[in-house]
Amino acid sequence: MIIMRSITEQGHTFEEWLTPDMIARDVKQVADHISRDYKDKEPLFIVVLNGAFVFAADLIRAVDKDLHCEITFIRVSSYWGMATTGKLEFIVPLQQTVTDRDVIIVEDIVDSGLTIHQLKAHLRALGASSVKVASMLFKPEKLEYDDAKPDYVGHEITGEFVVGYGLDFDGFERNLDAIYKAKKS
Ligand code: 5GP
C-alpha cells in the first residue's frame, strides 16, 4: 500500500511529489553533468538565497571531488520597472569578483525566468567569461525569458506551486526533505 505523505500550511494541502531518494538522484545527475563540463575549469557557484541553499549544499558535495571550485551567495529581489529589463535589487550583494570567471548560478526553481534573466545580464556586464544556470526545478510552461532556460535541471514541473527542500510558503516549509506539490482542489 502506498501512503501519500501530505502537509498542511495555512489551510493549503501539499502532497509529496519528489521523495528524498528521487531528489538525490536528480542532484547526482546534475552534479555529474557539471563535473564533466567543468573538468578543466574553475567554476564559481553563485547560490541564490534563500531557496537554493538546500539544493546547493547537496550539489556542491555531489560534484567530483577533483573539481576545483568556489561558492558564494547572493540574495536578490527582482521586480518589474518601466524599463523592459526590469530591475534587480541586491539584498545580499555579490562578495566575489566575477571578471573572467566561469559562473554557475544555483537556483531552487526557474518560473518566469525574470530573476535569472536579470542576474545573467548583470554578471555578464561585470565581465564573467560564461554564465550557466543549475536549477533544481524548472517550469518550462511558465518561462517568459528564453535566455533564462536553465542549463542543468533536476526535474521539470508544470505550473503547480511546490514547497520543501528549500522552497517556502510564506517563509515556512523550507526544512522538508521532500518536495511537495499543492493539491488540486
Ligand atoms: P522567476 O523569477 O523565475 O519568475 O521566479 C523564481 C523565484 O520564484 C524562485 O526562486 C522562487 O523563489 C519563486 N517561485 C517560483 N515558483 C515557485 C514555487 O512553485 N514554489 C515556491 N516556493 N517558490 C516559487
Side-chain angles (χ1 to χ4, degrees):
M1 186 172 73
I2 297 169
I3 298 169
M4 179 73 84
R5 288 206 289 174
S6 70
I7 57 133
T8 303
E9 176 62 46
Q10 299 176 36
H12 300 273
T13 304
F14 293 84
E15 287 176 336
E16 188 176 42
W17 171 56
L18 291 183
T19 65
D21 283 350
M22 291 161 83
I23 293 172
R25 277 199 292 276
D26 289 341
V27 172
K28 184 75 176 85
Q29 163 253 313
V30 170
D32 286 349
H33 203 164
I34 289 174
S35 300
R36 277 198 302 277
D37 290 356
Y38 288 82
K39 194 158 65 80
D40 303 313
K41 296 184 174 146
E42 201 167 78
L44 169 66
F45 289 96
I46 300 183
V47 181
V48 185
L49 296 172
N50 292 329
F53 80 102
V54 180
F55 173 48
D58 285 344
L59 180 66
I60 54 153
R61 289 175 300 162
V63 292
D64 198 297
K65 65 172 172 31
D66 294 330
L67 184 77
H68 203 227
C69 61
E70 286 183 281
I71 182 156
T72 193
F73 302 85
I74 54 165
R75 187 163 175 212
V76 295
S77 143
S78 51
Y79 56 93
W80 298 95
M82 298 295 284
T84 48
T85 48
K87 232 173 156 187
L88 199 63
E89 186 193 355
F90 282 84
I91 298 159
V92 175
L94 187 63
Q95 308 281 343
Q96 203 101 0
T97 305
V98 296
T99 314
D100 299 330
R101 295 298 305 266
D102 292 305
V103 169
I104 304 171
I105 301 170
V106 182
E107 253 291 28
D108 51 358
I109 187 164
V110 175
D111 185 290
S112 75
L114 175 64
T115 312
I116 292 299
H117 168 73
Q118 294 179 334
L119 200 49
K120 274 182 133 176
H122 181 77
L123 295 169
R124 286 206 188 99
L126 290 175
S129 322
S130 67
V131 184
K132 299 261 169 138
V133 178
S135 187
M136 178 59 211
L137 299 175
F138 174 40
K139 293 180 174 171
E141 291 171 15
K142 302 281 285 298
L143 192 71
E144 290 173 29
Y145 300 86
D146 284 347
D147 70 338
K149 188 171 184 285
D151 305 278
Y152 307 98
V153 176
H155 226 100
E156 289 193 355
I157 177 175
T158 46
E160 300 97 324
F161 193 80
V162 284
V163 296
Y165 197 65
L167 290 141
D168 75 315
F169 184 108
D170 245 356
F172 292 91
E173 311 298 351
R174 292 193 198 277
N175 56 307
L176 298 170
D177 63 355
I179 298 177
Y180 290 71
K181 231 181 211 182
K183 190 178 171 186
K184 290 192 185 104
S185 45

